[in-house]
Amino acid sequence: SQQGEEDPQALSIQEGENATMNCSYKTSINNLQWYRQNSGRGLVHLILIRSNEREKHSGRLRVTLDTSKKSSSLLITASRAADTASYFCATDDNAGNMLTFGGGTRLMVKP
Amino acid sequence: ETGVTQSPTHLIKTRGQQVTLRCSSQSGHNTVSWYQQALGQGPQFIFQYYREEENGRGNFPPRFSGLQFPNYSSELNVNALELDDSALYLCASSSQGGKTEAFFGQGTRLTVV
């Protein structure tokens, strides 16, 4: 079963705009990771945020984590056509031996 | 480029057959996890191997089995293939039994006919 739920399921924006994706989860976590996937290929690791962190930046990516609401958001600023992909959040269990993924947000960035 | 390699990239098998998928982990990583991703869905955890031992298993039947070798590479074996086993199989490499970032290979696309 999926622990995380991404919202929205699909997002279409123009190049240069910002894209925000949200993720909710159900149980306590050690960390939350965001991944990108292009056209059914492998997952590319974007960023990991630990449960004691509230915000993290990496280039054009900004991730927030609210453990009281069991939610996270991924913001991509100044989007590019190359950002077109599916984005997944994944949470670990306390044992750290499995990641639970949501269903993903399919982002389309139009040139 | 994550340094995690999977083989083969594509595979077509007949229902009832057996299949073996392979994964080479990233240098310095001792943990390999396997995931199944059906079309349009997020990956589902199959199992994890840490230092050659199974270290957690998802909700998959026993016909899904695995191995990890001393060099930390891994195999996923699926017996008695069913049509619903058609999916992208992803291998993830990490360290410390999965408590760090997990890096994925490009996957093996399995089609069961």
Side-chain angles (χ1 to χ4, degrees):
Chain A
S1 63
Q2 308 269 5
Q3 155 152 252
E5 293 290 336
E6 281 93 343
D7 169 54
Q9 291 186 339
L11 181 61
S12 181
I13 59 174
Q14 294 293 135
E15 208 165 28
E17 294 180 338
N18 295 341
T20 300
M21 289 158 266
N22 303 296
C23 166
S24 60
Y25 57 92
K26 297 175 184 174
T27 62
S28 62
I29 61 171
N30 284 325
N31 59 59
L32 184 146
Q33 304 183 54
W34 283 92
Y35 290 87
R36 184 186 75 227
Q37 185 176 43
N38 292 81
S39 300
R41 302 190 67 191
L43 297 167
V44 175
H45 185 269
L46 296 176
I47 199 164
L48 178 150
I49 186 165
R50 302 196 185 281
S51 60
N52 61 354
E53 297 176 312
R54 291 297 167 258
E55 188 171 314
K56 206 162 183 180
H57 297 254
S58 176
R60 294 184 296 113
L61 307 180
R62 172 178 170 254
V63 168
T64 62
L65 178 65
D66 187 335
T67 53
S68 66
K69 295 180 179 178
K70 293 187 171 55
S71 67
S72 174
S73 68
L74 170 66
L75 169 67
I76 304 174
T77 60
S79 63
R80 306 166 181 168
D83 295 329
T84 295
S86 292
Y87 291 82
F88 294 91
C89 70
T91 55
D92 71 330
D93 62 354
N94 285 330
N97 62 10
M98 65 178 279
L99 292 175
T100 303
F101 287 82
T105 292
R106 286 169 290 286
L107 173 67
M108 175 173 288
V109 181
K110 300 176 185 176
Chain B
E1 194 67 38
T2 64
V4 182
T5 58
Q6 292 187 241
S7 63
T9 54
H10 295 85
L11 201 53
I12 299 174
K13 287 286 190 176
T14 302
R15 190 171 47 183
Q17 285 188 314
Q18 178 266 344
V19 68
T20 297
L21 310 181
R22 294 179 175 84
C23 172
S24 294
S25 59
Q26 186 169 311
S27 177
H29 285 177
N30 57 15
T31 304
V32 172
S33 305
W34 287 91
Y35 292 81
Q36 181 195 66
Q37 186 180 23
L39 201 61
Q41 298 184 19
Q44 298 276 328
F45 176 74
I46 302 175
F47 44 57
Q48 182 186 87
Y49 279 84
Y50 172 52
R51 295 180 175 177
E52 303 179 57
E53 298 285 333
E54 189 179 287
N55 186 44
R57 188 179 182 92
N59 190 25
F60 280 82
R63 60 189 184 84
F64 285 77
S65 63
L67 282 173
Q68 188 178 33
F69 300 99
N71 66 356
Y72 303 126
S73 66
S74 178
E75 288 182 353
L76 164 65
N77 300 290
V78 187
N79 294 321
L81 283 167
E82 301 176 359
L83 297 178
D84 284 349
D85 295 334
S86 295
L88 181 68
Y89 287 85
L90 295 161
C91 159
S93 167
S94 59
S95 59
Q96 300 178 38
K99 292 182 171 64
T100 63
E101 292 94 334
F103 296 95
F104 283 78
Q106 288 299 303
T108 293
R109 174 72 63 188
L110 173 64
T111 302
V112 182
V113 298

